[in-house]
Amino acid sequence: GNAAWVLSQHPEARDWLGTRPEAGQAAVEELLRFETPTHYVARFARKEMQLGGRKIRAGQQVHVMIASANRDPERFSDPDVLDLQRPDTRHLSFGYGIHFCLGAPLARIELEVATRALLEKFGPFRALGWERGGTPQVRGLRLLFIAGPKLREN
């Protein structure tokens, strides 16, 4: 849902990807970076530390803002631009280290297959309407209505 919505909002990227199915894996990584489904994760500090001028106590719960990290201008050039040809898309959408999502490989395949199928079946679609869903932690769409040359609009 997130990827379909993003592509509907960026028709030039949608059209580019629609003519280059071989770019699917790279596009998946950029789509995950650009509109990450997991906005934050909760963790507990292992030791006392200073971070950003604030004291964090050992054992204190902190929220790691994955969505913010994936748009960090010190990490990504033009982070608010969707660039399906971005050379470095190493993002944190699936976590990192021992907290890396075990389902990430399957999720990547599913996203690539679903995106390719959406573009093949419906052509250069556009969003007619959408409604956000999920929670503050896990973000997604509750509804997405699309139209395209291979779809009737009513």
Side-chain angles (χ1 to χ4, degrees):
N2 286 342
W5 180 80
V6 167
L7 290 172
S8 76
Q9 302 305 299
H10 297 86
E12 67 292 338
R14 178 206 59 215
D15 294 347
W16 181 87
L17 184 58
T19 61
R20 293 168 183 83
E22 71 282 357
Q25 286 181 332
V28 160
E29 298 306 320
E30 176 66 356
L31 288 164
L32 286 165
R33 182 204 68 81
F34 189 79
E35 185 70 20
T36 185
T38 304
H39 271 204
Y40 72 88
V41 292
R43 297 288 184 255
F44 293 94
R46 293 176 62 180
K47 61 182 180 178
E48 187 173 297
M49 63 174 44
Q50 288 280 89
L51 183 64
R54 299 191 67 139
K55 181 179 179 178
I56 299 173
R57 297 179 316 277
Q60 181 178 351
Q61 185 177 35
V62 295
H63 289 173
V64 179
M65 303 305 295
I66 293 172
S68 180
N70 283 346
R71 296 280 187 105
D72 183 350
E74 291 183 23
R75 171 66 184 89
F76 298 101
S77 62
D78 297 319
D80 295 327
V81 171
L82 177 69
D83 180 1
L84 299 183
Q85 299 178 75
R86 188 178 295 274
D88 179 9
T89 56
R90 289 177 298 143
H91 53 77
L92 297 176
S93 297
F94 292 121
Y96 184 80
I98 64 168
H99 295 287
F100 188 77
C101 176
L102 291 175
L106 178 58
R108 284 180 164 116
I109 291 168
E110 289 175 334
L111 181 54
E112 183 180 357
V113 168
T115 302
R116 186 178 324 118
L118 183 68
L119 290 165
E120 287 173 2
K121 184 168 183 170
F122 301 124
F125 62 90
R126 59 189 169 87
L128 298 176
W130 63 88
E131 185 178 312
R132 283 274 175 206
T135 67
Q137 183 179 16
V138 179
R139 181 173 147 144
L141 295 175
R142 194 173 84 71
L143 297 169
L144 175 63
F145 299 99
I146 62 171
K150 298 180 183 179
L151 284 174
R152 294 185 320 167
E153 293 190 22
N154 50 10

